[in-house]
Amino acid sequence: QKEVEQNSGPLSVPEGAIASLNCTYSDRGSQSFFWYRQYSGKSPELIMSIYSNGDKEDGRFTAQLNKASQYVSLLIRDSQPSDSATYLCAVRTRGNTGKLIFGQGTTLQVKP
Amino acid sequence: DTAVSQTPKYLVTQMGNDKSIKCEQNLGHDTMYWYKQDSKKFLKIMFSYNNKELIINETVPNRFSPKSPDKAHLNLHINSLELGDSAVYFCASSRTVDQPQHFGDGTRLSIL
């Protein structure tokens, strides 16, 4: 079992729809969770961080965390073609090194 | 001003050569990281320094050696380059080990 799993996609949604991206992780002791967006040929860009159970909203983005079920998700409302990118889920392992384990990423395509 | 900057952006070299990649951050962060992203876009931690002290040293060939002359700089030296070293190498930094990480633009290394 991979430590952090994502469906590689592509996930295709029409413009204006809600895109839902999911991620599961294996280490129950993980405490910090991050979503990064990576455009083709560019570097990962942090878009959301979440540390406690529940929802966290920032503009059109909502991160959801369920530690009991060991999953974290990202919702993108009113999807735009400019949201088309690969979304990387990252989980910080227990311990005090800051080590992040990344999923393989989900490619999102938003069609006009 | 670029927060995390890497040089060079592109590096094309022959098998067996030795090369270095430099990284500098002007954010005043304590922790810096090196990641490797392979052709399948999987992003994996290699090394991390916190206040110039090595805190993450993943299982990588010992041809790879990081060096942190001060908190703002983290360099990566690679000896005897092999075809499998071709990848994009990202530097990242964070304020402390438990804060979100911010990535540089990457160095695309191609081995001929």
Side-chain angles (χ1 to χ4, degrees):
Chain A
Q1 182 190 4
K2 290 182 185 169
E3 292 178 271
V4 179
E5 291 208 59
Q6 297 179 253
N7 188 327
S8 60
L11 172 66
S12 184
V13 301
E15 184 174 355
I18 296 175
S20 177
L21 304 156
N22 299 313
C23 171
T24 58
Y25 59 95
S26 60
D27 183 357
R28 190 171 286 278
S30 300
Q31 295 295 319
S32 307
F33 308 86
F34 306 92
W35 284 98
Y36 285 84
R37 177 176 62 199
Q38 187 174 25
Y39 293 112
S40 182
K42 300 294 187 184
S43 61
E45 174 194 5
L46 178 71
I47 52 172
M48 289 289 285
S49 56
I50 188 165
Y51 303 97
S52 53
N53 279 331
D55 295 0
K56 179 181 177 183
E57 189 174 315
D58 184 0
R60 295 186 297 113
F61 298 99
T62 299
Q64 298 174 316
L65 175 61
N66 184 325
K67 288 186 179 179
S69 301
Q70 293 174 240
Y71 87 80
V72 56
S73 62
L74 180 71
L75 300 178
I76 307 174
R77 287 182 299 283
D78 188 24
S79 295
Q80 301 296 309
S82 58
D83 294 326
S84 298
T86 297
Y87 289 80
L88 303 170
C89 172
V91 177
R92 179 153 45 229
T93 60
R94 63 179 87 195
N96 60 353
T97 65
K99 179 178 173 180
L100 285 184
I101 305 293
F102 281 83
Q104 69 268 39
T106 298
T107 300
L108 173 66
Q109 296 173 347
V110 181
K111 305 212 168 186
Chain B
D1 282 346
T2 304
V4 183
S5 59
Q6 297 179 225
T7 54
K9 212 172 169 60
Y10 300 95
L11 189 48
V12 182
T13 190
Q14 293 195 322
M15 250 185 349
N17 284 351
D18 303 338
K19 290 293 178 187
S20 291
I21 307 172
K22 294 180 187 292
C23 179
E24 175 182 3
Q25 53 94 4
N26 62 4
L27 299 167
H29 288 173
D30 284 350
T31 315
M32 296 184 73
Y33 311 81
W34 277 113
Y35 286 86
K36 178 180 180 181
Q37 189 169 45
D38 61 24
S39 57
K40 293 183 180 173
K41 308 301 181 191
F42 186 61
L43 195 59
K44 193 168 181 347
I45 182 75
M46 300 173 70
F47 303 103
S48 175
Y49 274 76
N50 187 54
N51 279 318
K52 300 198 297 175
E53 178 187 349
L54 182 66
I55 58 170
I56 296 176
N57 186 357
E58 290 292 291
T59 307
V60 298
N62 57 14
R63 298 181 295 103
F64 290 78
S65 53
K67 275 197 173 59
S68 182
D70 55 59
K71 270 185 6 174
H73 296 85
L74 179 61
N75 304 322
L76 182 66
H77 188 75
I78 316 170
N79 287 329
S80 303
L81 281 156
E82 299 178 358
L83 288 175
D85 298 332
S86 295
V88 181
Y89 293 84
F90 286 103
C91 177
S93 74
S94 60
R95 186 174 301 280
T96 59
V97 294
D98 56 357
Q99 293 296 305
Q101 296 175 21
H102 300 272
F103 285 76
D105 289 340
T107 296
R108 185 174 297 276
L109 174 62
S110 300
I111 309 301
L112 303 177

